[in-house]
Amino acid sequence: MERLETRRLLLRELRRTDVKSLHRLFSDPLVMRFWPPFELGDTEQLVERNLRRYAQDGFGPWALTLKGSDDAIGDCGMVHQEIEGSSETEIGWHLLHALWGQGLATEAAHAARDYAFDRLGVKRLVAIIHPDNVASQRVAEKIGMTLLKTIQHRDRPRLLYSLEPPR
């Protein structure tokens, strides 16, 4: 999977050595306020699952690092997701809460969106967002996504955003 570069970020494949830095993110109750915070084993499983995605699908979430550092400060990228009986390509992002409000999630999501359309040939991206997660809704809208509808995902209501490539 290609490494991407933005003005402030490098997006690179996750590595097993990222578990410690990613665990700061996924164990943070504020970051995970819409999902249960992770135990260390959950973070290890997440990294392993994404390594398998790279091999099987040719893509998955990238680790986000600030230029000049190799520490993962978040993740962003695409995964296959089953939604209402259809296979979709979901884009998602997570960022350390100390870095919220700086536009980094939007910067990463723009790069991932462009990669999905330009390099992977994805015909539609979706984002599944908790109804109370206004910040993620704003990121989705800033990369051009529009709200389609409310769906049930993992037995809970979620907002489904979508975007097709420009024609």
Side-chain angles (χ1 to χ4, degrees):
M1 196 167 80
E2 246 178 271
R3 189 173 93 155
L4 305 180
E5 186 172 334
T6 70
R7 187 170 64 83
R8 299 176 289 173
L9 298 169
L10 291 176
L11 288 73
R12 60 160 174 78
E13 286 188 12
L14 294 169
R15 304 176 192 139
R16 288 180 180 94
T17 55
D18 291 323
V19 168
K20 184 177 177 183
S21 58
L22 287 174
H23 191 61
R24 290 182 321 189
L25 174 77
F26 291 112
S27 65
D28 183 334
L30 184 57
V31 172
M32 299 299 286
R33 65 196 179 282
F34 303 115
W35 303 99
F38 282 19
E39 299 292 331
L40 182 60
D42 299 323
T43 305
E44 291 168 342
Q45 288 175 14
L46 174 121
V47 170
E48 291 299 324
R49 185 169 49 251
N50 287 314
L51 294 176
R52 285 191 302 274
R53 283 182 172 129
Y54 299 154
Q56 293 168 351
D57 302 331
F59 63 90
W62 286 274
L64 303 181
T65 67
L66 293 170
K67 286 185 176 176
S69 172
D70 198 43
D71 289 337
I73 58 163
D75 72 344
C76 181
M78 290 75 60
V79 298
H80 286 299
Q81 187 72 253
E82 185 78 18
I83 300 171
E84 297 182 327
S86 293
S87 179
E88 299 281 357
T89 303
E90 178 190 13
I91 186 170
W93 45 84
H94 300 94
L95 187 67
L96 287 173
H97 81 265
L99 299 171
W100 290 357
Q102 300 177 34
L104 293 168
T106 301
E107 190 173 317
H110 269 113
R113 175 204 64 192
D114 293 348
Y115 182 85
F117 291 145
D118 299 342
R119 306 286 286 168
L120 298 177
V122 170
K123 301 296 182 216
R124 177 168 99 146
L125 283 174
V126 299
I128 302 167
I129 302 174
H130 190 285
D132 295 333
N133 193 342
V134 175
S136 276
Q137 292 171 43
R138 283 196 305 262
V139 171
E141 291 163 359
K142 286 177 182 177
I143 67 167
M145 300 185 101
T146 56
L147 177 62
L148 273 184
K149 61 184 174 179
T150 300
I151 62 168
Q152 288 295 310
H153 182 70
R154 298 186 182 158
D155 299 322
R156 295 196 165 99
R158 297 289 187 248
L159 301 177
L160 182 66
Y161 281 78
S162 113
L163 176 65
E164 294 179 5
R167 296 205 164 115

